[in-house]
Amino acid sequence: GDSVTQMEGPVTLSEEAFLTINCTYTATGYPSLFWYVQYPGEGLQLLLKATKADDKGSNKGFEATYRKETTSFHLEKGSVQVSDSAVYFCALTLMNTGFQKLVFGTGTRLLVSP
Amino acid sequence: DAGVTQSPTHLIKTRGQHVTLRCSPISGHKSVSWYQQVLGQGPQFIFQYYEKEERGRGNFPDRFSARQFPNYSSELNVNALLLGDSALYLCASSPYGQGTYEQYFGPGTRLTVT
């Protein structure tokens, strides 16, 4: 079946450090890939997405590149801030299934200290 | 414009009871999806409704049911509650029923079954 695997957290960083959160996927078809963020007490917000191989999604200083050869979509940010502390979810959806279904990873908690 | 709204925010039920959760999508959105997020896990797809018809169903028992109303709001019903149904229930809306259109999530309903 379709699945997403993320690195386990928590990831603990100091402010201005470089961030990488690994994400790999298994899909029966050609997926679109997403990163969602969940701040404490809130719902999920789309952070960025990529719909085809070699696409780079970016938003708020975060980036991720769709690597079909390694089935990966790693999230990176050059300099994290305390306000980036949240849980990050990698997800995929398949086209041409007749409906929208997001398949999520288990999430990675990021803690950024001043 | 208002985002996706869900009610109630929190709910405590006893095993064997029935529960109804409600969701109002973003104005103009015709698709509503439901996800279950157990503590420490990523959201799991339960249902998608589009134009008042079920478009997709996840791997959940028949105790879970849903419907969508003419104004595109939706209800999720769970019968014969089990302790394992304790979770955050997320609703997401989207303009269309398929494709890579962004799904906008509500803040969720926290259900506790005792």
Side-chain angles (χ1 to χ4, degrees):
Chain A
D2 306 316
S3 66
V4 174
T5 302
Q6 291 181 235
M7 63 188 288
E8 290 199 14
V11 173
T12 304
L13 295 173
S14 299
E15 205 166 24
E16 299 184 1
F18 184 85
L19 169 71
T20 300
I21 299 178
N22 291 337
C23 170
T24 57
Y25 67 89
T26 301
T28 53
Y30 197 107
S32 294
L33 302 173
F34 305 82
W35 277 101
Y36 279 82
V37 59
Q38 189 172 35
Y39 297 102
E42 299 185 15
L44 296 169
Q45 300 175 26
L46 179 65
L47 183 58
L48 53 83
K49 72 176 185 182
T51 58
K52 61 182 187 294
D54 300 325
D55 266 2
K56 177 185 284 189
S58 61
N59 186 25
K60 299 180 182 179
F62 291 89
E63 293 183 340
T65 301
Y66 189 141
R67 300 290 187 197
K68 189 178 180 188
E69 64 275 13
T70 55
T71 62
S72 64
F73 192 54
H74 304 321
L75 182 68
E76 296 182 336
K77 187 176 186 183
S79 176
V80 293
Q81 306 299 312
V82 172
S83 57
D84 293 327
S85 298
V87 181
Y88 292 81
F89 292 93
C90 185
L92 66 80
T93 190
L94 292 176
M95 298 291 290
N96 303 320
T97 59
F99 62 96
Q100 286 180 320
K101 171 187 173 183
L102 285 164
V103 177
F104 288 90
T106 54
T108 302
R109 182 176 299 278
L110 171 64
L111 300 171
V112 181
S113 57
Chain B
D1 282 344
V4 176
T5 59
Q6 294 185 243
S7 62
T9 304
H10 296 89
L11 203 52
I12 299 175
K13 290 286 189 178
T14 304
R15 276 177 298 176
Q17 286 188 318
H18 162 271
V19 69
T20 297
L21 311 180
R22 296 177 174 82
C23 171
S24 292
I26 291 172
S27 177
H29 285 193
K30 298 181 178 180
S31 169
V32 170
S33 297
W34 288 94
Y35 290 81
Q36 181 196 63
Q37 186 179 12
V38 173
L39 194 63
Q41 301 291 320
Q44 298 289 317
F45 174 77
I46 309 176
F47 288 110
Q48 184 201 13
Y49 276 76
Y50 177 67
E51 289 280 22
K52 302 179 289 294
E53 292 187 357
E54 182 182 303
R55 281 296 189 91
R57 171 186 282 258
N59 189 24
F60 280 80
D62 291 343
R63 299 185 295 107
F64 289 76
S65 63
R67 55 180 175 167
Q68 187 177 33
F69 299 99
N71 66 352
Y72 303 110
S73 67
S74 177
E75 283 183 354
L76 175 69
N77 295 284
V78 186
N79 291 324
L81 285 166
L82 303 174
L83 294 179
D85 295 331
S86 296
L88 180 68
Y89 288 84
L90 296 167
C91 171
S93 78
S94 178
Y96 303 104
Q98 57 184 310
T100 59
Y101 298 98
E102 179 176 352
Q103 293 195 48
Y104 294 82
F105 284 82
T109 293
R110 173 75 61 187
L111 172 65
T112 302
V113 182
T114 62

